[in-house]
Amino acid sequence: MSDTVKILASDVNVFYDTKQALHDINIDIMDRQVTAFIGPSGCGKSTFLRCFNRMNDVIPSCRVDGHIMMGDENINDQALDPVFLRARVGMVFQKPNPFPKSIFENVAYGPRIHGLVTNKSEAEDIVVDSLKRSGLWNEVHDRLHDPATGLSGGQQQRLCIARAIAVQPEVLLMDEPCSALDPIATSIIEELINDLKDRFTIIIVTHSMQQAARVSQKTAYFHLGHLIEYGETKDVFTRPADPQTEAYISGKIG
Amino acid sequence: MNNPTDMLTAQQRQDIIRHSLQKRHKTERRLRWAGLTAITIAISFLVILISNIFLNGYTALLQSELQVEMTIPKAELVDENGDLDAARIMTFNWNGLVKKAFRKKFPDVKGMMDKRSLGDLVSDNAGYELRLQIEKNPELMEQNLFWIKTSDDVDMYMKGRLDASLPEKMRRLDDKQIGWVDQLKEVSEIRKVFNTGFFTTADSREPESAGILGAVVGSAMALMVTIILALPLAVMAAIYLEYFARPGRVTDLIEVNINNLAAVPSIVFGLLGLSVFLGFFNMPRSAPLVGGMVLALMTLPTIIIATRASIRAVPTSIRDAALGVGASRMQAALDHVLPQAAPGILTGTIIGIAQALGETAPLIMIGMVAFVVDVPTSITDPATALPVQIFIWSDSAERAFYERSSLAIMVLLVFLISMNLLAVILRRRYEKTW
Ligand SMILES: Nc1ncnc2c1ncn2[C@@H]1O[C@H](COP(=O)(O)OP(=O)(O)O)[C@@H](O)[C@H]1O
Ligand SMILES: [Mg+2]
């Protein structure tokens, strides 16, 4: 665990057409820690998460203002190539979304398009390494060329994690990665997140307070597009500074 | 609590429901009957239509021939070295030879008029076709017995399509001619054989020599041009509209226009081809190239719409996944979305092409309605197309062309049905469910 700031977001405002989804968000994300975004649904967690890899660009009505600095680069600078950015900031989505191709192809795709591998054996090395890191290797090593869609939901989600880390990003964004999974698959992924934080800065959106408490070092509580509270996870959960946060974690909102 | 059913007992409530149930079932039965009737009517029309075409056309599968005995005067056809001489073959009076040989069968027939009407039993193309055969296979010259095509009128009579009970003036064969044909029938010197020529030759002035190969090749060439032009253009346009176009007035305008274009009557595309491709760019008339270009314009909106629909049917999560690992928009589209959308695109294309195959009006506008006796060998040769050929024949005076146009319709239908079947099979086989 380190104490350096990885990403510094200041005065971030996000609009869908004229509707404002996020108001003046200021936050600093710590390097190689797990930061959890919690809050009632519709409060803007996903929207904010997508600011970090510019996935909001895909939504034509979406406009993002403000600075999101990673090192001395502004992620939100329109001159910055989002394709380059996404090689540094990977993403795992809410619903497992493997490509309808083989397991191998899923993991090898990222390194290949970025030119990180130039031949088959390099690709194999990366695939094996990523599958091992995502804890999937033992389950799939003998069927790497089977379609990924044949895996179980939990396996698919770990494959998506393997696919994301195969590009060796610095930051890993996860939008409710366990919401479509059963409790056992969920706990496997939580363990995985714990292992991965030594190498990656992880930001995870979750609707489960217990999950935030289990996996994260920092927690940010959002409400109606505002960042209400942000601090050490143990502080946020044991002595929330804001009454709204307290209401939420004690189950009165949500 | 002011629910009005609170006052009822459970028994009363059930009775009410049961009563309404009866009514609902009755409505359902009525609807089912209405639907069944509609389908029956539609199917019977289809059956009537197809059997009508079949009954009109199946006889065109056969062609009448009659036997003549003749010796080909080889000496007149070779040069000094004893080889066949092309020029001499060209100028030799083949028709005279055939007719003379045929008339020998009826030595009693005297007089100019009778001789002429006897000669009319033989196809006017018989000499020409004999020449073609001999050019292809000179050994035939040693032979003495030949089967040659009858005229279309005899052919019709042989197939029972000429009513001998009509007054003599009203039919195309007079009593004497029918008598001669009957005589030939008795000695089996006239027969009906499979009409291979129909599938291996192009159009002709004489129905007995007319075939559809020219039109089929013309159609195939035009459709090739259509696919080559329309498919990439349409897929590119669809990708652009789905992935790159910023929503706004311009995009809306393009969209509305594409949808409108799909509804424009095809003859308008023909007019466009006439004035732009022929008038402005001076491209060749009657050429499959131009026909294909016009049909491509016509099919373009259909394929664009089908492609956009199939692209949209691919879940955005696939695209997001690709973008998420850092694929560019184009990579996401080409590597992940298009392969998933491909079966849908293909199905749309096949249906668009099948539509184009059946089009007549725009091809007539650009002159593919010409009378062409040669099978086209390049896309700039004058040619006609299958539906246009049907149109030309059904418009001809001879009864024999009429049966040929029915057979050509059957051929067209076979092509259309197989294309649609292919589309269904592709859709079945590759249909994805997420
Ligand atoms: N594509 C979109 N277009 C318009 N509004 C959107 C879009 N996505 C999200 N929103 C709105 O932005 C707000 C925040 O949504 P989101 O970030 O998905 O919330 P969360 O992930 O916290 O549940 C919601 O009010 C939602 O309706
Ligand atoms: Mg969300």
Side-chain angles (χ1 to χ4, degrees), chain A residues 50 53 55 57-60 82-84 86-87 89-91 93 95-101 109-110 113-114 149 163-164 167, chain B residues 243 245-247 314-336 339-340 432 434:
Chain A
R50 293 158 64 91
N53 70 343
M55 277 303 273
D57 286 14
V58 179
I59 303 164
V83 169
F84 176 61
R86 288 173 198 148
V89 183
M91 185 157 196
F93 296 81
K95 195 175 146 249
N97 57 353
F99 300 131
K101 303 192 173 187
Y109 182 70
I113 55 169
H114 291 298
T149 39
R163 178 175 69 190
V167 188
Chain B
Y243 281 127
R246 291 244 148 225
V314 179
T316 46
S317 65
I318 301 284
R319 179 194 62 179
D320 286 348
L323 294 178
V325 291
S328 65
R329 280 159 182 257
M330 204 63 190
Q331 281 171 327
L334 292 183
D335 294 349
H336 299 288
Q340 300 305 306
K432 284 263 164 33
W434 278 278

Coordinates of all heavy atoms in Angstrom, one line a residue, chain A residues 50 53 55 57-60 82-84 86-87 89-91 93 95-101 109-110 113-114 149 163-164 167, chain B residues 243 245-247 314-336 339-340 432 434:
Chain A
R50 N -17.1 6.0 -15.1 CA -16.8 6.1 -16.6 C -16.0 7.3 -17.0 O -15.5 7.3 -18.1 CB -18.2 6.0 -17.3 CG -18.9 4.6 -17.2 CD -20.4 4.7 -17.5 NE -20.6 5.1 -18.9 CZ -20.8 4.2 -19.8 NH1 -20.7 2.9 -19.5 NH2 -21.0 4.6 -21.0
N53 N -12.2 6.5 -17.6 CA -11.6 6.0 -18.9 C -12.4 6.5 -20.1 O -12.3 5.9 -21.2 CB -11.6 4.4 -18.9 CG -12.9 3.8 -19.0 OD1 -13.9 4.5 -18.7 ND2 -13.0 2.5 -19.3
M55 N -15.3 6.5 -21.0 CA -16.4 5.7 -21.6 C -17.6 6.5 -21.8 O -18.5 6.2 -22.6 CB -16.7 4.5 -20.8 CG -15.8 3.3 -21.0 SD -15.7 2.7 -22.7 CE -17.1 1.6 -22.8
D57 N -17.7 9.1 -23.4 CA -17.6 9.6 -24.8 C -18.6 8.9 -25.7 O -19.0 9.4 -26.7 CB -16.2 9.3 -25.4 CG -15.2 10.3 -24.8 OD1 -15.5 11.0 -23.8 OD2 -14.1 10.4 -25.4
V58 N -18.9 7.6 -25.4 CA -19.7 6.8 -26.2 C -21.2 7.3 -26.2 O -21.9 7.1 -27.1 CB -19.7 5.3 -25.7 CG1 -20.6 4.5 -26.6 CG2 -18.3 4.8 -25.8
I59 N -21.5 8.0 -25.1 CA -22.9 8.5 -25.0 C -23.0 9.9 -25.5 O -22.4 10.8 -24.9 CB -23.4 8.5 -23.5 CG1 -23.2 7.1 -22.9 CG2 -24.8 9.0 -23.3 CD1 -23.2 7.0 -21.4
P60 N -23.6 10.1 -26.6 CA -23.6 11.4 -27.3 C -24.1 12.5 -26.5 O -23.6 13.6 -26.6 CB -24.5 11.2 -28.5 CG -24.6 9.7 -28.7 CD -24.5 9.1 -27.4
P82 N -8.6 8.7 -26.3 CA -9.2 7.8 -25.3 C -8.7 6.3 -25.5 O -8.7 5.5 -24.6 CB -10.7 7.9 -25.6 CG -10.8 8.5 -26.9 CD -9.6 9.4 -27.1
V83 N -8.3 6.0 -26.7 CA -7.8 4.6 -27.0 C -6.5 4.4 -26.2 O -6.3 3.4 -25.5 CB -7.6 4.4 -28.5 CG1 -6.8 3.1 -28.7 CG2 -8.9 4.4 -29.2
F84 N -5.6 5.4 -26.2 CA -4.4 5.3 -25.4 C -4.7 5.2 -23.9 O -4.2 4.4 -23.2 CB -3.5 6.5 -25.7 CG -2.3 6.6 -24.9 CD1 -1.3 5.6 -25.0 CD2 -2.0 7.6 -24.1 CE1 -0.1 5.6 -24.3 CE2 -0.8 7.7 -23.4 CZ 0.1 6.7 -23.5
R86 N -7.3 4.1 -22.4 CA -8.0 2.9 -22.0 C -7.0 1.7 -21.9 O -7.3 0.7 -21.3 CB -9.1 2.5 -22.9 CG -10.3 3.5 -22.7 CD -11.4 3.3 -23.7 NE -12.3 4.4 -23.7 CZ -12.9 4.8 -24.8 NH1 -12.8 4.2 -25.9 NH2 -13.7 5.9 -24.7
A87 N -5.8 1.9 -22.5 CA -4.8 0.9 -22.3 C -4.2 1.1 -20.9 O -3.7 0.2 -20.3 CB -3.7 1.1 -23.4
V89 N -6.1 2.6 -18.3 CA -7.2 2.5 -17.4 C -8.1 1.4 -17.9 O -8.9 1.7 -18.8 CB -7.9 3.8 -17.2 CG1 -9.0 3.7 -16.1 CG2 -6.9 4.9 -16.8
G90 N -8.1 0.2 -17.3 CA -8.9 -0.9 -17.8 C -10.3 -0.8 -17.1 O -10.5 -0.1 -16.1
M91 N -11.2 -1.7 -17.6 CA -12.5 -1.6 -17.0 C -13.2 -3.0 -17.0 O -13.0 -3.8 -18.0 CB -13.4 -0.7 -17.8 CG -14.8 -0.5 -17.2 SD -15.6 1.0 -17.7 CE -16.8 1.2 -16.5
F93 N -17.0 -4.6 -16.4 CA -18.4 -4.1 -16.5 C -19.3 -4.9 -15.5 O -19.0 -6.0 -15.0 CB -19.0 -4.2 -17.9 CG -18.2 -3.3 -18.8 CD1 -17.0 -3.7 -19.4 CD2 -18.7 -2.0 -19.1 CE1 -16.3 -2.9 -20.3 CE2 -18.0 -1.2 -20.0 CZ -16.8 -1.6 -20.6
K95 N -22.3 -6.4 -16.1 CA -22.7 -7.7 -16.6 C -21.5 -8.3 -17.3 O -20.8 -7.7 -18.1 CB -23.8 -7.5 -17.6 CG -24.6 -8.8 -17.9 CD -25.8 -8.4 -18.8 CE -26.0 -9.5 -19.8 NZ -25.7 -9.2 -21.2
P96 N -21.1 -9.6 -17.0 CA -19.9 -10.2 -17.7 C -20.2 -10.1 -19.2 O -21.2 -10.5 -19.7 CB -20.0 -11.6 -17.2 CG -20.8 -11.6 -16.0 CD -21.7 -10.5 -16.0
N97 N -19.2 -9.5 -19.9 CA -19.4 -9.4 -21.3 C -18.2 -9.9 -22.1 O -17.5 -9.1 -22.8 CB -19.7 -7.9 -21.7 CG -18.6 -7.0 -21.2 OD1 -17.6 -7.4 -20.5 ND2 -18.6 -5.7 -21.6
P98 N -17.9 -11.2 -22.0 CA -16.8 -11.7 -22.8 C -17.2 -11.6 -24.3 O -18.4 -11.6 -24.6 CB -16.8 -13.2 -22.4 CG -18.1 -13.5 -21.9 CD -18.6 -12.2 -21.3
F99 N -16.1 -11.5 -25.1 CA -16.4 -11.5 -26.6 C -16.9 -12.9 -26.9 O -16.4 -13.9 -26.4 CB -15.1 -11.2 -27.4 CG -14.5 -9.9 -27.1 CD1 -13.1 -9.8 -26.8 CD2 -15.2 -8.7 -27.1 CE1 -12.6 -8.6 -26.6 CE2 -14.7 -7.5 -26.8 CZ -13.3 -7.4 -26.6
P100 N -17.8 -13.0 -27.9 CA -18.3 -14.3 -28.3 C -17.2 -15.1 -29.1 O -17.4 -15.4 -30.2 CB -19.5 -14.1 -29.1 CG -19.4 -12.6 -29.5 CD -18.5 -11.9 -28.5
K101 N -16.0 -15.2 -28.5 CA -14.9 -15.9 -29.2 C -14.3 -16.8 -28.1 O -14.9 -17.0 -27.1 CB -13.8 -14.9 -29.6 CG -14.4 -13.8 -30.5 CD -13.3 -13.0 -31.1 CE -14.0 -12.1 -32.2 NZ -13.2 -11.4 -33.0
Y109 N -6.8 -10.4 -27.1 CA -7.2 -9.3 -27.9 C -6.6 -8.0 -27.6 O -6.0 -7.3 -28.4 CB -8.7 -9.2 -27.9 CG -9.3 -8.2 -28.9 CD1 -9.2 -8.3 -30.2 CD2 -9.8 -6.9 -28.4 CE1 -9.6 -7.4 -31.1 CE2 -10.2 -6.0 -29.2 CZ -10.1 -6.2 -30.6 OH -10.6 -5.2 -31.5
G110 N -6.6 -7.6 -26.3 CA -6.1 -6.3 -25.9 C -4.6 -6.2 -26.2 O -4.2 -5.3 -26.9
I113 N -4.1 -5.8 -30.0 CA -4.4 -4.5 -30.7 C -3.4 -3.4 -30.3 O -3.2 -2.5 -31.1 CB -5.8 -4.1 -30.6 CG1 -6.2 -4.0 -29.1 CG2 -6.8 -5.0 -31.3 CD1 -7.5 -3.3 -28.9
H114 N -2.9 -3.5 -29.1 CA -2.0 -2.4 -28.6 C -0.6 -2.7 -29.1 O 0.3 -1.9 -28.8 CB -2.0 -2.3 -27.1 CG -3.3 -1.7 -26.6 ND1 -3.8 -0.5 -27.0 CD2 -4.3 -2.2 -25.8 CE1 -5.0 -0.3 -26.4 NE2 -5.3 -1.3 -25.7
T149 N -18.3 -18.0 -24.0 CA -19.7 -17.9 -23.5 C -20.2 -19.2 -22.9 O -21.2 -19.2 -22.3 CB -20.6 -17.6 -24.7 OG1 -20.1 -18.3 -25.9 CG2 -20.6 -16.1 -25.1
R163 N -9.0 -10.3 -19.0 CA -8.9 -9.6 -20.3 C -8.4 -8.2 -20.0 O -7.6 -7.6 -20.7 CB -10.2 -9.6 -21.0 CG -10.3 -8.8 -22.2 CD -11.7 -8.9 -22.9 NE -12.7 -8.3 -22.1 CZ -14.0 -8.4 -22.3 NH1 -14.4 -9.2 -23.3 NH2 -14.9 -7.7 -21.6
A164 N -8.9 -7.6 -18.9 CA -8.5 -6.2 -18.6 C -7.1 -6.1 -18.1 O -6.4 -5.2 -18.6 CB -9.5 -5.6 -17.5
V167 N -3.7 -6.2 -20.5 CA -3.1 -5.0 -21.1 C -2.1 -4.3 -20.1 O -1.5 -3.4 -20.5 CB -4.2 -4.1 -21.6 CG1 -3.6 -2.9 -22.4 CG2 -5.2 -4.9 -22.5
Chain B
Y243 N -22.1 4.3 -35.8 CA -21.0 4.5 -34.8 C -20.4 5.9 -34.9 O -19.8 6.3 -33.9 CB -19.9 3.5 -35.1 CG -20.2 2.1 -34.5 CD1 -20.2 1.0 -35.2 CD2 -20.6 2.1 -33.2 CE1 -20.6 -0.2 -34.6 CE2 -20.9 0.9 -32.6 CZ -20.9 -0.2 -33.3 OH -21.3 -1.4 -32.8
A245 N -21.6 8.9 -36.9 CA -22.4 10.1 -37.1 C -22.9 10.6 -35.8 O -23.4 9.9 -34.9 CB -23.6 9.7 -38.0
R246 N -22.6 11.9 -35.6 CA -23.1 12.6 -34.4 C -24.6 12.8 -34.6 O -25.0 13.3 -35.7 CB -22.4 13.9 -34.2 CG -21.0 13.8 -33.9 CD -20.7 14.4 -32.5 NE -19.7 13.6 -31.8 CZ -19.7 13.2 -30.6 NH1 -20.7 13.4 -29.8 NH2 -18.7 12.5 -30.1
P247 N -25.4 12.4 -33.7 CA -26.8 12.7 -33.9 C -27.1 14.2 -34.0 O -26.5 15.0 -33.3 CB -27.5 12.1 -32.6 CG -26.4 11.7 -31.7 CD -25.1 11.9 -32.4
V314 N -26.7 -6.5 -32.0 CA -25.6 -6.9 -31.2 C -25.6 -6.1 -29.9 O -25.6 -4.9 -30.0 CB -24.3 -6.7 -32.0 CG1 -23.1 -7.1 -31.2 CG2 -24.3 -7.5 -33.3
P315 N -25.5 -6.7 -28.7 CA -25.6 -6.0 -27.5 C -24.5 -5.0 -27.4 O -23.3 -5.3 -27.8 CB -25.5 -7.0 -26.4 CG -25.4 -8.3 -27.1 CD -25.4 -8.2 -28.5
T316 N -24.8 -3.8 -26.9 CA -23.7 -2.8 -26.7 C -22.7 -3.2 -25.8 O -21.6 -2.7 -25.8 CB -24.3 -1.4 -26.2 OG1 -25.2 -1.7 -25.1 CG2 -25.1 -0.7 -27.3
S317 N -23.0 -4.2 -24.9 CA -22.0 -4.6 -24.0 C -20.7 -5.2 -24.7 O -19.6 -5.1 -24.2 CB -22.5 -5.7 -23.0 OG -22.9 -6.9 -23.8
I318 N -21.0 -5.8 -25.9 CA -19.8 -6.3 -26.7 C -19.0 -5.2 -27.2 O -17.7 -5.2 -27.1 CB -20.4 -7.1 -27.9 CG1 -21.2 -8.2 -27.5 CG2 -19.2 -7.6 -28.8 CD1 -20.5 -9.4 -26.9
R319 N -19.6 -4.1 -27.6 CA -18.9 -2.9 -28.1 C -18.2 -2.3 -26.9 O -17.0 -2.0 -27.0 CB -19.8 -1.9 -28.7 CG -19.1 -0.7 -29.2 CD -20.1 0.4 -29.5 NE -20.8 0.8 -28.3 CZ -21.7 1.8 -28.3 NH1 -22.1 2.4 -29.4 NH2 -22.3 2.1 -27.1
D320 N -18.9 -2.2 -25.8 CA -18.2 -1.6 -24.6 C -17.0 -2.4 -24.2 O -16.0 -1.8 -23.8 CB -19.2 -1.5 -23.5 CG -20.3 -0.4 -23.7 OD1 -20.1 0.4 -24.6 OD2 -21.3 -0.4 -22.9
A321 N -17.1 -3.7 -24.3 CA -16.0 -4.5 -23.8 C -14.8 -4.2 -24.7 O -13.7 -4.1 -24.2 CB -16.4 -6.0 -24.0
A322 N -15.0 -4.1 -26.0 CA -13.9 -3.8 -26.9 C -13.3 -2.4 -26.6 O -12.1 -2.3 -26.5 CB -14.4 -3.9 -28.4
L323 N -14.2 -1.4 -26.5 CA -13.7 -0.1 -26.2 C -13.0 -0.1 -24.9 O -11.9 0.6 -24.7 CB -14.9 0.9 -26.2 CG -15.6 1.1 -27.5 CD1 -16.7 2.1 -27.3 CD2 -14.6 1.7 -28.6
G324 N -13.5 -0.9 -23.9 CA -12.9 -0.9 -22.6 C -11.5 -1.4 -22.6 O -10.7 -1.0 -21.7
V325 N -11.1 -2.3 -23.5 CA -9.7 -2.8 -23.5 C -8.9 -1.9 -24.4 O -7.7 -2.2 -24.6 CB -9.5 -4.2 -23.9 CG1 -10.0 -5.1 -22.8 CG2 -10.1 -4.5 -25.2
G326 N -9.5 -0.8 -25.0 CA -8.7 0.1 -25.8 C -8.8 -0.1 -27.2 O -7.9 0.3 -28.0
A327 N -9.8 -0.8 -27.7 CA -10.0 -0.9 -29.2 C -10.5 0.5 -29.7 O -11.3 1.2 -28.9 CB -11.0 -2.0 -29.5
S328 N -10.1 0.9 -30.9 CA -10.7 2.1 -31.4 C -12.1 1.8 -31.9 O -12.5 0.6 -31.9 CB -9.9 2.6 -32.6 OG -10.0 1.6 -33.7
R329 N -12.9 2.8 -32.2 CA -14.3 2.5 -32.6 C -14.3 1.6 -33.8 O -15.2 0.7 -33.9 CB -15.0 3.8 -33.0 CG -15.4 4.7 -31.9 CD -15.6 6.1 -32.3 NE -16.0 6.9 -31.2 CZ -17.3 7.4 -31.1 NH1 -18.2 7.1 -32.0 NH2 -17.6 8.1 -30.1
M330 N -13.4 1.8 -34.7 CA -13.4 1.0 -36.0 C -13.1 -0.4 -35.6 O -13.7 -1.3 -36.2 CB -12.4 1.6 -36.9 CG -12.7 1.3 -38.4 SD -14.3 2.0 -38.8 CE -14.5 1.2 -40.4
Q331 N -12.1 -0.6 -34.7 CA -11.7 -2.0 -34.3 C -12.9 -2.6 -33.6 O -13.2 -3.8 -33.9 CB -10.5 -1.9 -33.4 CG -9.2 -1.8 -34.1 CD -8.0 -1.5 -33.2 OE1 -8.2 -0.9 -32.2 NE2 -6.9 -2.0 -33.6
A332 N -13.6 -1.9 -32.7 CA -14.7 -2.5 -32.1 C -15.7 -2.9 -33.1 O -16.3 -4.0 -33.0 CB -15.3 -1.5 -31.1
A333 N -16.0 -2.1 -34.1 CA -17.0 -2.4 -35.1 C -16.5 -3.6 -36.0 O -17.3 -4.6 -36.1 CB -17.2 -1.2 -36.0
L334 N -15.3 -3.6 -36.5 CA -14.9 -4.6 -37.4 C -14.6 -5.9 -36.7 O -14.9 -7.0 -37.2 CB -13.7 -4.1 -38.2 CG -13.9 -3.0 -39.2 CD1 -12.7 -2.6 -39.9 CD2 -15.1 -3.3 -40.1
D335 N -13.9 -5.9 -35.5 CA -13.5 -7.1 -34.9 C -14.6 -7.8 -34.2 O -14.6 -9.0 -34.1 CB -12.4 -6.8 -33.9 CG -11.1 -6.3 -34.6 OD1 -11.0 -6.4 -35.8 OD2 -10.2 -5.9 -33.9
H336 N -15.5 -7.0 -33.6 CA -16.5 -7.7 -32.7 C -18.0 -7.5 -33.1 O -18.7 -8.5 -33.0 CB -16.3 -7.1 -31.3 CG -15.0 -7.4 -30.8 ND1 -14.6 -8.7 -30.4 CD2 -13.9 -6.6 -30.6 CE1 -13.3 -8.6 -30.0 NE2 -12.9 -7.4 -30.1
P339 N -18.8 -9.2 -37.1 CA -18.9 -10.7 -37.2 C -20.2 -11.2 -36.6 O -20.8 -12.1 -37.1 CB -17.7 -11.2 -36.4 CG -16.7 -10.0 -36.4 CD -17.5 -8.8 -36.5
Q340 N -20.6 -10.5 -35.5 CA -21.9 -10.9 -34.9 C -23.1 -10.5 -35.8 O -24.1 -11.2 -35.8 CB -22.0 -10.3 -33.5 CG -20.9 -10.6 -32.5 CD -20.8 -12.1 -32.4 OE1 -21.8 -12.8 -32.1 NE2 -19.6 -12.7 -32.6
K432 N -28.0 -15.6 -33.2 CA -27.4 -15.6 -31.9 C -28.5 -15.1 -30.9 O -29.3 -14.3 -31.2 CB -26.3 -14.6 -31.9 CG -25.0 -15.1 -32.5 CD -24.1 -15.7 -31.5 CE -23.0 -16.5 -32.1 NZ -22.5 -16.2 -33.4
W434 N -28.6 -13.8 -26.9 CA -27.7 -13.4 -25.8 C -28.5 -13.5 -24.5 O -29.7 -13.3 -24.5 CB -27.2 -12.0 -26.0 CG -26.1 -11.9 -26.9 CD1 -24.8 -12.2 -26.6 CD2 -26.1 -11.6 -28.3 NE1 -24.0 -12.0 -27.7 CE2 -24.7 -11.7 -28.7 CE3 -27.1 -11.3 -29.2 CZ2 -24.4 -11.5 -30.0 CZ3 -26.7 -11.1 -30.5 CH2 -25.4 -11.1 -30.9

